[in-house]
Amino acid sequence: MGELLIKNGFVFDPLQGIKGDRMDIGVRDGKIVETSALSSPKTIDAAGMTVMAGGVDIHSHVVGPKVNVGRLFRPEDKLFKSPHKSPTCNRMEMGFSVPSTFKTGYDYARMGYVFVNEAAMPPLHSPHVHEEIRDTPIIDNAAMPVFGNNWFTLEYLKNHEIENNAAYTAWLLRATRGFAIKVVNPGGTEAWGWGLNCEHIHDPVPYFDITPAQIVKGLIEANEYLGLPHSMHVHANNLGNPGNYTTTLDTFKLSEGIKPNSKFGRDQVMHHTHVQFHSYGGDSWANVESKAKEIMDYVNSHDNITIDMGQVTLDETTTMTADGPFEHHLTELNHLKWANADVELETGSGVVPYIYSPSIKVCAIQWCIGLELALLAKDPMRVFMTTDHPNAGPFIRYPRIMKWLMSREAREQQFDAFKHKDKVIEATNLAGIDRELDLYEIAQMTRAGPAKALGLAHMYGGLAPGLDADVAVFDFNPNEPYAPDDIEKAFGNARHLFKTGVQVISDHEVVSNGNKRTLWVNARVNENPQVMRDVKEKFLRYYTVTLNNYEVTGHHYLPNPYVIEVDATE
Ligand SMILES: [Zn+2]
């Protein structure tokens, strides 16, 4: 693949503590190397520009059946354009909140991102998830199968069968080519099958006689028993309801006293996602208020937790989640169309359009809460930028979120555009927060931090020798005066992007589809005949497919797999 020298850029690399120093970055055979190791590299002039590692998205819904439902049932979301005439990037790009696979890959690359973690994979539909991953160019992907309403998981946990639960978890990760343990409204989506929900962590799940608290704790234990790269990744109960911050704090507390067991460098045992949707005070939409401060007081003082924002971007978007009961609740609130599915023994989902209008007080309060979470973070290595794409807004708004985080002036402009500005200020803390993040902190929240939390810091998130050569160059000089909008413009349109040493963006144009990989975790456990008997029995009795048609195998689904081996045998 040859050698590269990216010269004279202002480098931001939290992994090495580099804060905007003018430096050269060396690349050889797809890896970062010392510049002294290069013999005759191709030179890229990055003088006057910002250089960072490739971006890492810890939570985004980009592929799979519910994304496809969103694409199908929202023709009004389609913006057809074919802006690029290069031989590589010649596909029609369409969709705003639910973009096509090609647009997804290209748009992430244009923001300098190289890795995206698909946030919810229904195990039964994992072949579909992997086919869409395969068709998403440039970016590496992983996908998290959902476990929090899975009948096997619920039964093993109810019976305190820790080892069997771990063995089943390892089996399902392998069968689905999955990456980590995801939990969505634990117990609640299963309860929805009975017309019920679990809004609090001690609500019983019908039939299974287990609670969300037991599910979350049991899966953290399984995660640490196996020693997986990432921690258990939770979307807690009671999402999106006034007063839900107490449920969030109760969920956080389930991680107390548990230490990480992972060789992959993470410090947390729980990643709690889209915390904006889980930080509401009040007891109705009339008096809903921010509890971001209470949430961040907890996060700041407990280092075995990481979170991501779920920032509202004030756009029209398409919500989609395995939290089936929540989507039913949402369609009753906004009276827009609704799709809903039950996934046999495993999970469910719903899809509902949503308009986050600056004229609606609640939407403006949500916007404040997401930014407060990031701006109140003492350790930006544990609080990550997301929009829970597309739930709180499309991922293409990340550069705009950077602008809001880096510029108080930009935030004030947005406040002035709110119809109910005074009431919004009263219900939130944001107007009183002066903090402006710098590019080092942004690199922590978008690169080094999420890479570490995912257990992938040996590949992504930094520019130290030995890491994958994922290097983004932006037309942004941090040492010269800039307007807030310059941030959004520069970081939404990378000048250059190298992925594992291959130049995929050159002078703002996509020039290669790269060497896209699918990461998955192969956790080896001792042979467990009991679990395999249980699996066979449930497939015979309940599933609509046979076991042979369930497992994701072969080149068709994962043409370029990257397997992370974990040894949990004794
Ligand atoms: Zn999500």
Side-chain angles (χ1 to χ4, degrees):
M1 268 192 264
E3 297 183 338
L4 273 173
L5 183 64
I6 300 158
K7 272 184 83 87
N8 284 325
F10 298 109
V11 174
F12 293 87
D13 182 16
L15 195 69
Q16 303 182 89
I18 300 169
K19 300 183 173 179
D21 301 354
R22 259 180 95 138
M23 286 178 62
D24 300 343
I25 303 291
V27 172
R28 191 172 62 202
D29 298 333
K31 300 275 186 196
I32 307 277
V33 295
E34 301 285 357
T35 52
S36 59
L38 300 174
S39 49
S40 53
K42 178 185 168 193
T43 301
I44 305 288
D45 181 12
M49 301 178 203
T50 292
V51 175
M52 288 185 184
V56 174
D57 195 338
I58 198 166
H59 188 107
S60 181
H61 301 267
V62 285
V63 290
K66 70 187 184 308
V67 178
N68 234 17
V69 166
R71 290 180 183 126
L72 286 167
F73 101 149
R74 294 214 63 209
E76 68 276 20
D77 185 73
K78 304 282 187 295
L79 298 167
F80 293 92
K81 60 172 187 165
S82 189
H84 296 272
K85 300 276 184 277
S86 80
T88 314
C89 184
N90 54 7
R91 300 284 184 147
M92 176 71 77
E93 295 184 46
M94 59 193 192
F96 172 70
S97 66
V98 271
S100 62
T101 52
F102 283 94
K103 191 168 194 296
T104 299
Y106 294 148
D107 278 350
Y108 264 110
R110 289 176 183 127
M111 301 190 306
Y113 273 67
V114 296
F115 176 86
V116 177
N117 186 28
E118 162 54 45
M121 172 160 68
L124 180 62
H125 298 305
S126 52
H128 177 173
V129 170
H130 283 289
E131 286 184 319
E132 287 195 12
I133 284 178
R134 183 195 64 191
D135 283 357
T136 306
I138 302 178
I139 52 172
D140 292 344
N141 287 115
M144 297 186 288
V146 287
F147 286 85
N149 295 280
N150 181 306
W151 290 11
F152 293 92
T153 305
L154 300 187
E155 284 181 359
Y156 290 135
L157 291 179
K158 168 186 175 175
N159 299 324
H160 307 288
E161 298 173 34
I162 304 298
E163 232 169 279
N164 288 344
N165 186 47
Y168 172 74
T169 303
W171 177 79
L172 195 69
L173 286 173
R174 193 175 319 116
T176 62
R177 298 298 190 256
F179 176 72
I181 299 176
K182 174 73 185 299
V183 177
V184 178
N185 187 357
T189 302
E190 173 57 27
W192 175 235
W194 305 75
L196 302 167
N197 195 1
C198 296
E199 294 197 334
H200 305 288
I201 67 165
H202 301 302
D203 286 357
V205 184
Y207 174 75
F208 287 96
D209 191 25
I210 190 172
T211 64
Q214 290 170 305
I215 297 169
V216 168
K217 203 148 187 163
L219 284 170
I220 293 177
E221 282 166 8
N223 204 107
E224 302 312 326
Y225 178 100
L226 294 169
L228 300 179
H230 188 32
S231 64
M232 202 274 293
H233 189 120
V234 64
H235 151 157
N237 307 85
N238 211 8
L239 174 142
N241 290 323
N244 67 0
Y245 82 105
T246 53
T247 308
T248 311
L249 291 173
D250 288 345
T251 304
F252 284 166
K253 287 174 189 162
L254 297 170
S255 70
E256 284 179 6
I258 308 179
K259 290 207 163 57
N261 164 42
S262 172
K263 295 188 180 82
F264 297 87
R266 66 173 155 86
D267 294 327
Q268 90 281 10
V269 297
M270 176 190 288
H271 177 77
H272 194 307
T273 188
H274 42 67
V275 174
Q276 177 276 127
F277 287 121
H278 302 266
S279 302
Y280 304 157
D283 56 17
S284 76
W285 290 117
N287 66 10
V288 67
E289 59 178 354
S290 171
K291 290 290 179 185
K293 191 175 173 305
E294 285 74 1
I295 293 290
M296 288 313 296
D297 282 347
Y298 187 93
V299 172
N300 285 334
S301 56
H302 292 82
D303 61 11
N304 67 347
I305 285 188
T306 56
I307 66 165
D308 64 82
M309 294 162 69
Q311 176 62 33
V312 162
T313 62
L314 302 168
D315 285 293
E316 176 175 330
T317 192
T318 313
T319 71
M320 50 184 63
T321 171
D323 195 337
F326 173 76
E327 290 290 29
H328 178 253
H329 175 64
L330 192 64
T331 192
E332 299 236 298
L333 281 177
N334 74 5
H335 307 294
L336 296 178
K337 56 191 166 182
W338 169 51
N340 181 54
D342 176 67
V343 185
E344 304 196 12
L345 285 61
E346 300 177 346
T347 179
S349 77
V351 183
V352 176
Y354 202 82
I355 301 165
Y356 292 97
S357 165
S359 305
I360 297 172
K361 189 186 79 172
V362 170
C363 300
I365 290 172
Q366 291 176 306
W367 176 82
C368 293
I369 292 173
L371 296 175
E372 286 173 13
L373 295 169
L375 293 168
L376 293 172
K378 285 205 173 126
D379 181 4
M381 285 294 285
R382 295 196 291 114
V383 178
F384 313 132
M385 185 191 295
T386 65
T387 61
D388 186 24
H389 165 87
N391 286 301
F395 67 80
I396 51 168
R397 295 298 192 220
Y398 288 174
R400 186 169 293 176
I401 299 171
M402 283 178 64
K403 174 180 78 174
W404 288 325
L405 292 174
M406 291 175 69
S407 165
R408 190 175 170 161
E409 182 191 338
R411 300 198 290 269
E412 277 166 4
Q413 283 170 6
Q414 186 57 57
F415 267 115
D416 288 339
F418 289 144
K419 191 173 170 190
H420 306 280
K421 181 180 170 184
D422 293 344
K423 285 181 183 164
V424 172
I425 288 175
E426 206 178 298
T428 59
N429 312 301
L430 186 62
I433 298 176
D434 292 329
R435 186 176 181 189
E436 296 183 322
L437 298 188
D438 59 28
L439 284 174
Y440 186 81
E441 291 165 316
I442 293 290
Q444 288 179 301
M445 288 184 169
T446 57
R447 281 140 169 97
K452 181 179 178 184
L454 287 161
L456 298 175
H458 59 293
M459 298 169 72
Y460 304 102
L463 294 168
L467 294 186
D468 286 359
D470 301 326
V471 189
V473 181
F474 300 100
D475 285 330
F476 190 83
N477 185 332
N479 298 335
E480 286 187 357
Y482 54 84
D485 285 344
D486 296 343
I487 301 169
E488 182 173 352
K489 192 168 165 234
F491 289 92
N493 189 11
R495 177 70 170 264
H496 303 297
L497 177 65
F498 302 89
K499 181 168 170 294
T500 49
V502 175
Q503 187 157 16
V504 291
I505 290 188
S506 172
D507 286 320
H508 308 292
E509 292 295 328
V510 177
V511 293
S512 166
N513 284 326
N515 49 6
K516 186 220 177 60
R517 298 173 295 190
T518 309
L519 279 65
W520 67 278
V521 169
N522 185 29
R524 275 173 295 119
V525 293
N526 293 332
E527 234 173 274
N528 190 317
Q530 176 65 48
V531 166
M532 288 324 296
R533 267 201 303 277
D534 294 344
V535 167
K536 282 180 186 139
E537 195 239 320
K538 279 223 173 29
F539 270 86
L540 276 175
R541 283 172 70 112
Y542 299 119
Y543 270 100
T544 56
V545 300
T546 65
L547 186 52
N548 290 338
N549 287 326
Y550 185 79
E551 294 184 51
V552 175
T553 52
H555 183 79
H556 168 79
Y557 294 105
L558 284 85
N560 195 13
Y562 185 96
V563 190
I564 298 172
E565 300 285 349
V566 176
D567 186 359
T569 56
E570 280 160 1

Coordinates of all heavy atoms in Angstrom, one line a residue, residues 146-186:
V146 N -29.6 -7.6 20.0 CA -30.3 -7.2 21.2 C -30.6 -8.4 22.0 O -31.1 -9.4 21.5 CB -31.6 -6.4 20.8 CG1 -31.3 -5.0 20.4 CG2 -32.4 -7.1 19.8
F147 N -30.4 -8.3 23.3 CA -30.6 -9.4 24.3 C -31.7 -9.1 25.3 O -32.1 -10.1 26.0 CB -29.3 -9.7 25.0 CG -28.2 -10.4 24.2 CD1 -27.4 -9.6 23.4 CD2 -28.1 -11.7 24.2 CE1 -26.4 -10.2 22.6 CE2 -27.1 -12.4 23.5 CZ -26.3 -11.6 22.7
G148 N -32.1 -7.9 25.6 CA -32.8 -7.5 26.8 C -34.2 -8.1 26.8 O -34.9 -8.0 27.9
N149 N -34.8 -8.6 25.7 CA -36.1 -9.2 25.7 C -36.1 -10.6 25.1 O -37.2 -11.1 24.7 CB -37.1 -8.3 25.0 CG -37.2 -6.9 25.7 OD1 -38.0 -6.8 26.6 ND2 -36.5 -5.9 25.2
N150 N -34.9 -11.2 25.0 CA -34.8 -12.5 24.4 C -35.2 -13.6 25.4 O -34.7 -13.6 26.5 CB -33.3 -12.6 24.0 CG -32.9 -13.9 23.3 OD1 -33.2 -15.0 23.9 ND2 -32.3 -13.8 22.2
W151 N -36.0 -14.5 24.9 CA -36.6 -15.5 25.8 C -35.5 -16.4 26.4 O -35.6 -16.8 27.6 CB -37.5 -16.4 25.0 CG -38.8 -15.8 24.6 CD1 -39.1 -14.4 24.7 CD2 -40.0 -16.4 24.2 NE1 -40.4 -14.2 24.3 CE2 -41.0 -15.4 23.9 CE3 -40.3 -17.7 23.9 CZ2 -42.2 -15.7 23.4 CZ3 -41.6 -18.0 23.4 CH2 -42.5 -17.0 23.2
F152 N -34.5 -16.7 25.7 CA -33.4 -17.5 26.3 C -32.7 -16.8 27.4 O -32.6 -17.3 28.5 CB -32.3 -17.8 25.2 CG -32.7 -18.7 24.1 CD1 -33.2 -18.2 22.9 CD2 -32.5 -20.1 24.2 CE1 -33.5 -19.0 21.9 CE2 -32.8 -20.9 23.1 CZ -33.4 -20.4 22.0
T153 N -32.4 -15.5 27.2 CA -31.7 -14.7 28.2 C -32.6 -14.6 29.4 O -32.2 -14.8 30.5 CB -31.5 -13.3 27.6 OG1 -30.7 -13.5 26.4 CG2 -30.7 -12.4 28.6
L154 N -33.9 -14.3 29.2 CA -34.8 -14.1 30.3 C -34.9 -15.4 31.1 O -34.9 -15.4 32.4 CB -36.2 -13.7 29.8 CG -36.3 -12.3 29.0 CD1 -37.7 -12.0 28.8 CD2 -35.6 -11.2 29.7
E155 N -35.0 -16.5 30.5 CA -35.1 -17.8 31.2 C -33.9 -18.1 32.0 O -33.9 -18.6 33.1 CB -35.5 -18.9 30.3 CG -37.0 -18.8 29.9 CD -37.5 -19.9 29.0 OE1 -36.7 -20.8 28.6 OE2 -38.7 -19.9 28.6
Y156 N -32.7 -18.0 31.3 CA -31.5 -18.3 32.1 C -31.3 -17.4 33.3 O -30.9 -17.8 34.3 CB -30.2 -18.2 31.1 CG -30.2 -19.3 30.1 CD1 -29.9 -18.9 28.7 CD2 -30.4 -20.6 30.4 CE1 -29.8 -19.9 27.8 CE2 -30.3 -21.6 29.4 CZ -30.0 -21.2 28.1 OH -29.9 -22.2 27.2
L157 N -31.6 -16.1 33.1 CA -31.4 -15.1 34.2 C -32.4 -15.4 35.3 O -32.0 -15.3 36.5 CB -31.5 -13.7 33.7 CG -30.3 -13.3 32.8 CD1 -30.5 -11.8 32.3 CD2 -29.0 -13.4 33.5
K158 N -33.6 -15.7 34.9 CA -34.6 -16.0 35.9 C -34.2 -17.2 36.8 O -34.4 -17.2 38.0 CB -35.9 -16.4 35.2 CG -37.0 -17.0 36.0 CD -38.2 -17.4 35.1 CE -39.3 -18.1 35.8 NZ -40.4 -18.3 34.9
N159 N -33.5 -18.2 36.2 CA -33.1 -19.4 36.9 C -31.7 -19.3 37.4 O -31.1 -20.2 37.9 CB -33.2 -20.6 36.0 CG -34.6 -20.9 35.5 OD1 -35.6 -20.6 36.3 ND2 -34.8 -21.3 34.3
H160 N -31.1 -18.0 37.4 CA -29.8 -17.8 37.9 C -28.7 -18.7 37.2 O -27.8 -19.2 37.9 CB -29.7 -17.9 39.4 CG -30.7 -17.1 40.1 ND1 -30.6 -15.7 40.2 CD2 -31.9 -17.4 40.7 CE1 -31.7 -15.2 40.8 NE2 -32.5 -16.2 41.1
E161 N -28.9 -19.0 35.9 CA -27.9 -19.9 35.2 C -26.9 -19.0 34.5 O -27.0 -18.7 33.3 CB -28.7 -20.8 34.2 CG -29.7 -21.7 34.9 CD -30.5 -22.5 33.9 OE1 -30.0 -22.8 32.8 OE2 -31.7 -22.7 34.2
I162 N -26.0 -18.5 35.3 CA -25.0 -17.5 34.8 C -24.2 -18.1 33.7 O -24.0 -17.5 32.6 CB -24.1 -17.1 36.0 CG1 -24.9 -16.5 37.1 CG2 -23.0 -16.0 35.5 CD1 -25.7 -15.3 36.9
E163 N -23.7 -19.3 33.9 CA -22.8 -19.9 32.9 C -23.5 -20.2 31.6 O -23.0 -20.0 30.5 CB -22.2 -21.2 33.4 CG -20.7 -21.3 33.3 CD -20.1 -22.4 34.1 OE1 -20.0 -22.3 35.3 OE2 -19.9 -23.5 33.4
N164 N -24.8 -20.7 31.7 CA -25.6 -21.0 30.5 C -25.9 -19.7 29.8 O -25.9 -19.6 28.5 CB -26.9 -21.7 30.9 CG -26.6 -23.1 31.3 OD1 -25.5 -23.7 31.0 ND2 -27.6 -23.8 31.9
N165 N -26.2 -18.6 30.5 CA -26.5 -17.4 29.9 C -25.3 -16.8 29.1 O -25.4 -16.4 28.0 CB -26.9 -16.3 31.0 CG -27.4 -15.0 30.3 OD1 -28.1 -15.1 29.4 ND2 -26.9 -13.9 30.8
A166 N -24.1 -17.0 29.7 CA -22.9 -16.6 29.0 C -22.6 -17.4 27.8 O -22.3 -16.9 26.7 CB -21.7 -16.6 30.0
A167 N -22.9 -18.7 27.9 CA -22.6 -19.6 26.7 C -23.6 -19.3 25.6 O -23.3 -19.2 24.4 CB -22.8 -21.1 27.2
Y168 N -24.9 -19.0 26.0 CA -25.9 -18.6 25.0 C -25.5 -17.3 24.3 O -25.6 -17.1 23.1 CB -27.3 -18.5 25.6 CG -28.3 -17.9 24.6 CD1 -28.7 -18.7 23.5 CD2 -28.7 -16.6 24.7 CE1 -29.6 -18.1 22.6 CE2 -29.5 -16.0 23.7 CZ -30.0 -16.8 22.7 OH -30.8 -16.3 21.7
T169 N -25.0 -16.3 25.2 CA -24.6 -15.0 24.7 C -23.5 -15.2 23.6 O -23.5 -14.6 22.6 CB -24.2 -14.1 25.8 OG1 -25.3 -14.0 26.8 CG2 -23.8 -12.7 25.3
A170 N -22.5 -16.0 24.0 CA -21.4 -16.2 23.1 C -21.9 -16.9 21.8 O -21.4 -16.5 20.7 CB -20.3 -17.1 23.8
W171 N -22.8 -17.8 21.9 CA -23.3 -18.5 20.7 C -24.1 -17.5 19.8 O -23.9 -17.5 18.6 CB -24.3 -19.6 21.2 CG -24.9 -20.3 19.9 CD1 -24.3 -21.2 19.1 CD2 -26.2 -20.0 19.4 NE1 -25.2 -21.5 18.1 CE2 -26.3 -20.8 18.2 CE3 -27.3 -19.2 19.7 CZ2 -27.5 -20.8 17.4 CZ3 -28.4 -19.1 18.9 CH2 -28.5 -19.9 17.8
L172 N -24.9 -16.6 20.4 CA -25.7 -15.7 19.6 C -24.8 -14.7 18.9 O -25.0 -14.3 17.8 CB -26.8 -15.0 20.5 CG -27.8 -14.3 19.6 CD1 -28.7 -15.3 18.9 CD2 -28.7 -13.4 20.4
L173 N -23.7 -14.2 19.7 CA -22.8 -13.3 19.0 C -22.2 -14.0 17.8 O -22.0 -13.3 16.7 CB -21.7 -12.9 20.0 CG -22.0 -11.9 21.1 CD1 -20.9 -11.8 22.1 CD2 -22.4 -10.5 20.5
R174 N -21.8 -15.3 17.9 CA -21.2 -16.0 16.8 C -22.3 -16.2 15.7 O -22.0 -15.9 14.5 CB -20.6 -17.3 17.2 CG -19.7 -18.0 16.2 CD -19.1 -19.2 16.8 NE -18.6 -19.1 18.1 CZ -19.2 -19.8 19.2 NH1 -20.1 -20.7 19.0 NH2 -18.7 -19.6 20.4
A175 N -23.5 -16.6 16.1 CA -24.5 -16.9 15.1 C -24.9 -15.7 14.3 O -25.2 -15.8 13.1 CB -25.7 -17.5 15.7
T176 N -24.9 -14.5 14.9 CA -25.3 -13.3 14.2 C -24.1 -12.5 13.7 O -24.3 -11.4 13.1 CB -26.1 -12.4 15.2 OG1 -25.3 -12.0 16.3 CG2 -27.3 -13.1 15.7
R177 N -22.9 -13.0 13.9 CA -21.7 -12.2 13.7 C -21.8 -10.8 14.3 O -21.6 -9.7 13.7 CB -21.4 -12.0 12.2 CG -21.2 -13.3 11.4 CD -20.0 -14.0 12.0 NE -19.5 -15.2 11.2 CZ -19.7 -16.5 11.5 NH1 -20.3 -16.8 12.7 NH2 -19.3 -17.4 10.8
G178 N -22.2 -10.9 15.6 CA -22.4 -9.6 16.4 C -21.2 -9.2 17.2 O -20.2 -9.9 17.3
F179 N -21.3 -8.0 17.7 CA -20.1 -7.4 18.3 C -20.2 -7.2 19.8 O -19.2 -7.3 20.5 CB -19.9 -6.0 17.7 CG -18.8 -5.2 18.3 CD1 -17.4 -5.6 18.1 CD2 -19.0 -4.1 19.1 CE1 -16.4 -4.9 18.7 CE2 -18.0 -3.4 19.6 CZ -16.7 -3.8 19.4
A180 N -21.4 -6.9 20.3 CA -21.6 -6.6 21.7 C -23.0 -6.9 22.2 O -23.9 -7.1 21.4 CB -21.2 -5.1 22.0
I181 N -23.2 -6.8 23.5 CA -24.5 -7.1 24.1 C -25.3 -5.7 24.2 O -24.9 -4.8 24.9 CB -24.4 -7.6 25.5 CG1 -23.6 -9.0 25.5 CG2 -25.7 -7.8 26.2 CD1 -23.3 -9.6 26.9
K182 N -26.4 -5.7 23.4 CA -27.3 -4.5 23.5 C -28.6 -4.9 24.2 O -29.1 -6.0 24.1 CB -27.6 -4.1 22.1 CG -28.6 -2.9 22.0 CD -28.0 -1.6 22.4 CE -29.1 -0.5 22.4 NZ -29.7 -0.2 21.2
V183 N -29.0 -3.9 25.0 CA -30.3 -4.1 25.7 C -31.2 -2.9 25.4 O -30.7 -1.7 25.5 CB -30.0 -4.1 27.2 CG1 -31.3 -4.2 28.0 CG2 -29.1 -5.3 27.6
V184 N -32.4 -3.1 25.0 CA -33.3 -2.0 24.7 C -34.6 -2.2 25.6 O -35.2 -3.2 25.5 CB -33.7 -2.0 23.2 CG1 -34.8 -0.9 23.0 CG2 -32.5 -1.8 22.3
N185 N -34.9 -1.2 26.4 CA -36.1 -1.3 27.3 C -36.2 -2.7 27.8 O -37.1 -3.5 27.5 CB -37.4 -0.9 26.5 CG -38.6 -0.8 27.4 OD1 -38.5 -1.1 28.6 ND2 -39.7 -0.4 26.9
P186 N -35.2 -3.1 28.7 CA -35.2 -4.5 29.1 C -36.5 -5.0 29.7 O -37.0 -4.3 30.6 CB -34.0 -4.5 30.1 CG -33.8 -3.1 30.5 CD -34.2 -2.3 29.3

